[in-house]
Amino acid sequence: MMNKKYAPLFESYRFQNGVELKNRVVMAPMTNFSSNEDGTVTDEEIHYYERRSEGVGMVITACTNVTANGKGFPGEFAGDSDDMIPSLRRLASAIKAKGSKAILQIFHGGREVPPELVPNGDVVSASDIPSGEGKPVPRELTSEEVSSIVRDFGETTRRAIEAGFDGVEIHGANGYLIQQFFSPHANRREDQWGGSLEKRMAFPLAVVDSVKKAVAEYADDSFIVGYRFSPEEPETPGITMADTLALVDALSAKKLDYLHVSVMDFWSEPRRGVEDTRSRIEIINERVGDRVPVMGVGSIYTADDAIKALETGVPFIALGRELIIDPDWVQKIEQGKESEIVTKLDKKKQDELVVPDPLWNAVLNAPGWFPGV
Ligand SMILES: Cc1cc2nc3c(=O)[nH]c(=O)nc-3n(C[C@H](O)[C@H](O)[C@H](O)COP(=O)(O)O)c2cc1C
């Protein structure tokens, strides 16, 4: 029997559009490097998702690129052409068959793409500023190209709808193209897509509008649209908490179904931009109020970690690494076996955990990334 203390994790959640999640636990988006060269999903990848889709209320997939020049990782599955709809459908069906909502994360890597993964090695961004020393100098997108990428986010949304996904998450986080436009580090433009804080928001907001337009045209109200962002950048110039709170206000006016704060630790505190000693997620959640639900994430491993996070008032939490380490996390709590939850990767259990080789190798080759490695 479940310990009563954990009951809040298992309350259903109803979005403003009426869609209900069976509980408050979401699988965080995680790239797995395991798709085919042609951009289709592999059997191994499908099995990996099936293994993790039974307990949680919603699965957010690895990011998929909306254009060929947006591909950010080897073994990333593609969402940039109608040819990919059957592959996307396989993924959506596998997740939904296990009882979870399926959300496709849509993305463009911008200046972070490896040149060898994109046509002609043409790495593009808001401006020609590399993200660091030794990184490729991107080519500044023309304003026509910017508008075209905005439309491509809408096109991939249409494909997600045709493939049977329950929603999309716009990946505006982790330093990729959408964030690059919002960033005063990456974006030095002086046209309608850059300059002031307002103009740096123009691309993220245009992407939201393009996605919402596709939903209005091809889906009904039950289709979920979330938006993920990173609250701060370490560089100066760079995104500050104050910038992010302004973006959050603008996003809150867009009738999104949820906002997702991308941080590695749920309890991480602001670097700069606000005088506040609470965590970034708490500050953002307070600012948003009841305009749109906020999803928290970051280093949640135990049932108690999850409850403590929910007590801040965020309606749901996402788990990334922990669901790779223990795919039965939710079921164990539900059955009163939370003491059996594994919180360090068991390096002998790849088969039992159903993790494809490329992801398994990436994890093992990055000491410190996963507990136990
Ligand atoms: C293997 C791996 C791949 C990831 N890929 C993505 C991704 O495709 N999109 C994304 O928004 N975040 C990605 N992330 C970040 C996670 O969604 C999450 O924010 C982060 O791991 C912190 O949560 P956790 O402590 O529960 O793992 C990835 C993280 C990991 C560990």
Side-chain angles (χ1 to χ4, degrees):
M1 261 222 342
M2 193 208 309
N3 183 331
K4 276 209 301 284
K5 171 166 138 193
Y6 304 122
L9 283 169
F10 295 93
E11 279 168 26
S12 62
Y13 181 81
R14 189 184 284 275
F15 285 103
Q16 251 157 30
N17 68 7
V19 172
E20 205 168 280
L21 300 187
K22 67 183 177 199
N23 61 42
R24 305 307 180 97
V25 189
V26 173
M27 179 169 169
M30 284 186 288
T31 289
N32 57 53
F33 316 103
S34 303
S35 309
N36 291 310
E37 284 276 318
D38 67 0
T40 56
V41 295
T42 55
D43 293 348
E44 290 74 17
E45 193 172 15
I46 293 289
H47 297 147
Y48 159 86
Y49 279 106
E50 285 172 338
R51 182 75 180 85
R52 291 169 173 78
S53 300
E54 253 185 75
V56 296
M58 183 161 102
V59 170
I60 305 167
T61 67
C63 60
T64 188
N65 48 299
V66 304
T67 63
N69 65 6
K71 182 170 180 173
F73 306 94
E76 178 178 327
F77 65 87
D80 65 328
S81 85
D82 285 3
D83 296 344
M84 293 295 133
I85 293 174
S87 158
L88 296 172
R89 187 175 292 126
R90 261 195 91 194
L91 182 55
S93 304
I95 295 169
K96 294 200 300 183
K98 294 289 180 185
S100 170
K101 299 286 178 207
I103 305 293
L104 182 70
Q105 193 185 51
I106 57 176
F107 134 111
H108 188 299
R111 67 182 180 176
E112 295 295 347
V113 306
E116 67 277 10
L117 291 186
V118 296
N120 309 316
D122 184 26
V123 177
V124 298
S125 185
S127 300
D128 58 357
I129 313 288
S131 62
E133 256 177 69
K135 293 295 193 72
V137 179
R139 177 177 67 77
E140 177 170 315
L141 289 161
T142 66
S143 65
E144 290 74 30
E145 287 174 311
V146 177
S147 302
S148 165
I149 293 174
V150 167
R151 287 193 297 274
D152 292 325
F153 273 93
E155 281 289 278
T156 300
T157 302
R158 173 182 57 75
R159 293 178 195 115
I161 293 164
E162 289 184 26
F165 276 97
D166 297 300
V168 293
E169 178 174 282
I170 300 166
H171 189 356
N174 303 354
Y176 300 112
L177 187 67
I178 297 178
Q179 180 174 328
Q180 289 162 29
F181 270 90
F182 186 52
S183 164
H185 183 272
N187 185 350
R188 312 284 170 99
R189 300 175 78 98
E190 292 188 349
D191 61 359
Q192 78 265 37
W193 302 112
S196 62
L197 174 64
E198 267 67 42
K199 286 180 167 174
R200 285 189 279 116
M201 282 187 214
F203 182 75
L205 297 177
V207 168
V208 172
D209 289 342
S210 172
V211 166
K212 296 285 282 184
K213 183 162 171 269
V215 173
E217 222 167 302
Y218 302 105
D220 59 34
D221 285 349
S222 69
F223 195 81
I224 296 165
V225 181
Y227 187 102
R228 191 173 216 215
F229 59 91
S230 295
E232 290 185 86
E233 289 176 336
E235 303 87 5
T236 303
I239 297 170
T240 67
M241 242 350 238
D243 291 347
T244 287
L245 293 178
L247 177 65
V248 155
D249 282 339
L251 291 172
S252 295
K254 288 284 178 193
K255 290 201 164 59
L256 290 158
D257 296 293
Y258 69 90
L259 298 182
H260 190 179
V261 186
S262 181
V263 284
M264 288 307 279
D265 180 353
F266 187 95
W267 300 102
S268 71
E269 292 170 11
R271 272 190 200 94
R272 61 189 193 281
V274 287
E275 295 296 321
D276 201 320
T277 54
R278 293 173 301 165
S279 69
R280 292 153 159 167
I281 291 179
E282 287 175 287
I283 295 166
I284 289 163
N285 192 44
E286 179 191 74
R287 179 69 163 241
V288 170
D290 52 16
R291 291 182 288 177
V292 50
V294 172
M295 188 180 299
V297 69
S299 302
I300 296 170
Y301 294 104
T302 66
D304 286 327
D305 290 346
I307 286 294
K308 195 173 161 219
L310 278 189
E311 280 167 359
T312 64
V314 295
F316 24 59
I317 48 145
L319 299 183
R321 290 169 290 182
E322 179 56 26
L323 282 181
I324 292 180
I325 296 168
D326 192 343
D328 300 316
W329 193 91
V330 175
Q331 294 92 321
K332 284 179 179 171
I333 301 173
E334 211 164 11
Q335 295 160 10
K337 296 181 185 161
E338 64 277 358
S339 62
E340 292 173 27
I341 287 175
V342 182
T343 57
K344 287 194 169 54
L345 189 72
D346 186 336
K347 291 188 258 180
K348 294 187 292 293
K349 293 211 168 134
Q350 183 190 358
D351 289 344
E352 192 179 310
L353 297 175
V354 194
V355 178
D357 289 341
L359 175 57
W360 191 255
N361 293 334
V363 168
L364 294 191
N365 290 322
W369 196 20
F370 275 62
V373 183

